Amino acid sequence: MKLWDFNLRHLRAIALIAEFGSMSRAAQGVNLTQPAITQALARTEAILGTTLFERRHDGMVPTPAADLLVPRIVAALEHIGSHRVTMARLRALLALADAGSYQGASLETGLSIPSLHRAIKDLSVSLRRPLAVRRSNAVFLTDGGMIVARGFRLARIELEAGLAELEALRGNEVRRIVIGAMPLSRARVLPAAVARFLQRHPLVRIAIAEGSRAELVEPLRNGTLDLMVGALRQPLLEGDLEQQALFADEPVIVARAGHPLCAKALGGAGDLAELARYAWVMPGPGAPLRDMWVAMFEEAGMDPPPVRVESGSVMTIRQLLIASDFLTLLSRDQIAVELQADWLAVVDDLPARFRREIGVTTRASWRPTSVQAEFLADLRAVAAGE
């Protein structure tokens, strides 16, 4: 069962059958005859290998399979946004967007280059906007093309999730969860939640993409990632995303074991003049940890000391600290092993008001599958210490 075997018009008809409970009313909604919509339903059920509706004298009643699939169809159609889009046109634009050339799209899909050209041209005409332009020997999506491609990607994700849910209903587990992990989440919460979840669902596949927020946010918005775990942004600038907090983290000032500052009693809030004498390694501007660090000095009327190295990699930061007198801010969870091994040391705590919210970021339109919803519950439970 492949996504591209389905007909978008037929899927629209199925959504309308579920909405109206009537074949005749659904036929009017997609401008098909009743025999044609009957054939469309039969063809789709044959591809799925399952029945979507019970035919009764008082109408069409959705089966459990339809209850899983229809909401995904409706969400996908909302992302597509036009009745003029066919599955072939959707596939062609996504292949071109991913491959960056018609030749690459042809190799990826097995479709001929002329058929891809024709599909993109027909889609541009039907949507009344140019979607791709050629510059020299390369093909680029226009701004409008990138917007359409993002909607198509999200539609594909919805339909694939629906098909995976149907497979699970038949006892064939093919569902997966793709997680974007920022540095702090990898230290404790995420591994514990994954282990907890897999005890109940050992056949669900989990993929974890590690990176900074800047590296992960676009894959999340495009549907490549299901969720992202790490420091939240306040305010959240992307209107198509949502955040939910898991716990508050209070970073500490960290240096190598034996650092000159380790022998000094700096006091509760730290002696900022002493701290400013040293160079720091910090994440780039815009990261919550960096903003917190800047605010700590500026509130005391001081310029922040120089950041000699910008990095969000705990591994890179650890090696720099061990080999120098650099300072940084990190969570205790991120350096638990290094503290225990006496490689690094906590120089001082930050004032209590300096803390960051760690949580989950998702697309505002995201509809988690049942297993994705369970994983989110595990994340919350682990963060709460349950």
Side-chain angles (χ1 to χ4, degrees):
M1 178 170 51
K2 296 179 181 179
L3 175 63
W4 313 121
D5 293 335
F6 293 91
N7 182 303
L8 275 181
R9 194 179 188 188
H10 295 174
L11 295 181
R12 290 189 188 96
I14 288 167
L16 290 177
I17 294 171
E19 179 182 355
F20 297 131
S22 164
M23 294 280 276
S24 59
R25 290 188 64 186
Q28 294 172 7
V30 289
N31 198 27
L32 289 172
T33 64
Q34 189 159 334
I37 203 170
T38 300
Q39 292 178 1
L41 176 58
R43 181 178 183 275
T44 304
E45 289 179 327
I47 296 172
L48 293 171
T50 192
T51 301
L52 294 176
F53 297 94
E54 294 181 19
R55 283 74 166 170
R56 297 180 181 176
H57 69 279
D58 56 345
M60 306 289 285
V61 178
T63 64
D67 289 337
L68 289 173
L69 182 61
V70 169
R72 298 290 175 181
I73 294 174
V74 172
L77 295 175
E78 289 176 355
H79 285 303
I80 291 170
S82 171
H83 292 273
R84 298 183 179 90
V85 177
T86 65
M87 192 66 85
R89 294 171 183 176
L90 184 148
R91 184 185 187 188
L93 184 65
L94 288 181
L96 181 61
D98 292 340
S101 69
Y102 283 102
Q103 183 175 6
S106 177
L107 291 173
E108 178 184 324
T109 61
L111 301 173
S112 69
I113 291 176
S115 67
L116 289 167
H117 271 286
R118 183 167 56 254
I120 299 297
K121 180 180 178 181
D122 290 346
L123 184 60
S124 296
V125 170
S126 64
L127 297 181
R128 299 177 182 176
R129 69 181 77 173
L131 300 175
V133 293
R134 180 177 294 279
R135 297 172 187 163
S136 299
N137 295 323
V139 177
F140 298 88
L141 295 188
T142 64
D143 290 344
M146 288 189 285
I147 292 172
V148 172
R150 171 172 288 173
F152 283 9
R153 285 193 183 97
L154 297 180
R156 179 176 62 189
I157 292 295
E158 290 287 353
L159 294 174
E160 287 174 343
L163 296 179
E165 291 276 64
L166 290 189
E167 289 291 342
L169 187 66
R170 288 198 287 259
N172 181 24
E173 184 60 84
V174 297
R175 290 172 293 184
R176 64 197 301 258
I177 306 171
V178 187
I179 306 159
M182 289 186 275
L184 178 57
S185 69
R186 304 196 291 266
R188 177 180 63 88
V189 175
L190 183 57
V194 169
R196 177 177 176 140
F197 173 82
L198 289 178
Q199 288 178 354
R200 301 191 311 277
H201 298 285
L203 298 181
V204 174
R205 293 173 296 160
I206 293 182
I208 300 174
E210 300 181 355
S212 67
R213 188 182 192 278
E215 294 168 323
L216 298 174
V217 69
E218 283 306 310
L220 175 66
R221 298 177 74 193
N222 284 332
T224 305
L225 302 176
D226 295 314
L227 64 149
M228 182 169 65
V229 186
L232 303 183
R233 293 302 191 264
Q234 300 297 344
L236 178 63
L237 299 179
E238 297 89 359
D240 57 339
L241 299 182
E242 289 182 346
Q243 299 181 147
Q244 54 178 293
L246 293 174
F247 64 95
D249 175 62
E250 297 180 359
V252 292
I253 300 169
V254 182
R256 64 175 174 83
H259 190 283
L261 290 180
C262 293
K264 298 186 178 184
L266 294 178
D271 185 337
L272 293 184
E274 282 288 323
L275 296 174
R277 291 178 52 235
Y278 294 89
W280 290 66
V281 51
M282 293 294 296
L289 207 59
R290 178 69 171 265
D291 293 343
M292 181 188 305
W293 177 79
V294 170
M296 180 176 68
F297 286 96
E298 290 184 344
E299 286 186 9
M302 299 175 58
D303 291 331
V307 176
R308 300 298 186 195
V309 179
E310 289 186 352
S311 175
S313 165
V314 175
M315 184 179 297
T316 299
I317 292 171
R318 179 191 69 192
Q319 294 306 116
L320 282 170
L321 295 184
I322 290 173
S324 70
D325 285 341
F326 275 71
L327 300 175
T328 194
L329 294 184
L330 285 172
S331 165
R332 290 180 186 270
D333 284 340
Q334 290 177 285
I335 53 169
V337 173
E338 289 82 356
L339 292 174
Q340 186 175 9
D342 201 28
W343 296 339
L344 300 179
V346 174
V347 172
D348 201 4
D349 297 323
L350 294 188
R353 65 184 178 279
F354 289 112
R355 60 186 222 172
R356 53 181 174 164
E357 294 289 335
I358 308 302
V360 179
T361 305
T362 62
R363 295 181 300 279
S365 64
W366 187 50
R367 297 173 52 89
T369 63
S370 58
V371 292
Q372 289 167 347
E374 280 193 51
F375 179 74
L376 280 176
D378 285 333
L379 271 176
R380 289 190 286 266
V382 169
E386 298 175 4

